[in-house]
Amino acid sequence: MVDQGLAGSIRRDILAGRLAAGSELRQTDLANQFGVSRIPIRDALGILTAEGLVVARPNRSARVLSLTLEEVSELYAIRRLLECDCLRLAMTRASDRDREEALRELRRSNLDVDTETWPASDWAFHQALYIPSGRRQQIDLIARLRTHCRVHIAAYDSLRQGTANWLEDHAAIVDAYLARDIDRAVSHLGKHLEKAGNDLIGAMRQETQHT
C-alpha cells in the first residue's frame, strides 16, 4: 500500500522550498530521514512523479522538478489561457451561492496572507471562482500547473513573503465577479497571472545573472 502521508510530507518539503527545484532525491537518504525502508519511499516518489513534482532517474534517485525560464514563461501563458477561459465560463453559470462562496474564500485567504498556509488558501480562493464552470479536468490541470509554479516560487523569499501584494488583485477580481462583469473579471485575472509570472521570471533571471 502506498504511504500517502509520506508522499504528502515530501510534497510539503518541496512546496515550502526545503527541497529546492532540481534537488536530488536519493531513496536511501529519504528512507533514513523518515525512518522507513526504501519501498515506501519509492512508492511516494512514484506519486510525486505522477504529479510532475519529481522527475525519476534510472539509478534509484530522482530530482525535484526544475524548469527553465522559457518553460516557466510557457507555463504561465498556458495558465492564463486555461484560467481565464475557466473563469469566463464559470461566471456565466455561477449562482448567488457560488458568488457568496467566492467572497468567503477571499476573506479566508486574506487571513492567511504571509503564512505557510497561504498557497493552499490562495488555491481555494481561485478554485471557488472556477468551480461553477463544471470543468473538473480543466481545474485539475490548472491545479497541477499552479503547483509546478509553487516549486519555483518557494525558492525566493521575496516571492514567498510578498503575498500581500496579491490581495488588491483578488479584491478586484471578486468585485467584478460579484457584479457579474465577466470582461472586467477576466481582465483582472489575466493581469494578475501575468504579474505573477513576470515576478517569478524576474527572480529567476536575476539569480542566473549572479551565478
Side-chain angles (χ1 to χ4, degrees):
M1 179 180 296
V2 175
D3 188 342
Q4 294 284 348
L6 187 55
S9 295
I10 300 172
R11 186 189 299 109
R12 283 190 293 274
D13 284 346
I14 292 172
L15 297 180
R18 291 186 286 272
L19 290 171
S23 296
E24 188 168 11
L25 303 172
R26 293 186 177 278
Q27 291 184 19
T28 300
D29 293 341
L30 290 171
N32 290 336
Q33 177 184 341
F34 290 102
V36 297
S37 71
R38 286 209 308 264
I39 294 174
I41 293 294
R42 181 198 62 198
D43 292 343
L45 292 179
I47 293 173
L48 300 177
T49 299
E51 294 175 3
L53 286 179
V54 166
V55 178
R57 306 180 74 193
N59 58 345
R60 293 186 179 177
S61 70
R63 286 190 181 276
V64 177
L65 173 71
S66 180
L67 302 175
T68 65
L69 282 167
E70 291 76 15
E71 289 169 334
V72 169
S73 179
E74 180 182 6
L75 188 152
Y76 272 96
I78 295 170
R79 280 188 57 189
R80 287 196 300 274
L81 289 173
L82 291 176
E83 295 190 47
C84 288
D85 174 70
C86 207
L87 178 62
R88 183 175 294 278
L89 179 59
M91 289 186 66
T92 68
R93 299 178 174 180
S95 64
D96 288 342
R97 186 173 184 177
D98 292 325
R99 284 182 280 272
E100 290 171 1
E101 180 64 18
L103 181 59
R104 279 195 293 271
E105 290 299 342
L106 172 69
R107 291 169 175 165
R108 288 172 184 163
S109 66
N110 287 350
L111 294 175
D112 289 335
V113 68
D114 289 333
T115 70
E116 283 195 2
T117 59
W118 162 260
S121 297
D122 180 41
W123 171 231
F125 162 66
H126 280 272
Q127 191 175 27
L129 297 176
Y130 306 149
I131 282 176
S133 70
R135 289 188 171 172
R136 294 183 180 180
Q137 293 185 78
Q138 186 168 341
I139 293 171
D140 286 346
L141 180 55
I142 290 168
R144 181 184 179 98
L145 296 178
R146 285 173 58 91
T147 300
H148 292 181
C149 292
R150 289 302 315 174
V151 174
H152 292 75
I153 290 170
Y156 304 99
D157 289 342
S158 61
L159 299 183
R160 287 189 292 104
Q161 296 172 4
T163 51
N165 297 334
W166 307 120
L167 299 188
E168 186 175 340
D169 288 355
H170 285 182
I173 294 168
V174 169
D175 182 66
Y177 196 86
L178 297 178
R180 309 184 189 188
D181 189 334
I182 295 176
D183 289 340
R184 181 158 58 95
V186 170
S187 176
H188 281 309
L189 176 61
K191 291 175 182 176
H192 173 66
L193 293 171
E194 184 176 12
K195 283 195 298 183
N198 288 341
D199 282 356
L200 177 54
I201 291 167
M204 292 174 68
R205 183 171 289 124
Q206 186 175 25
E207 181 183 52
T208 301
Q209 292 172 347
H210 286 83
T211 56

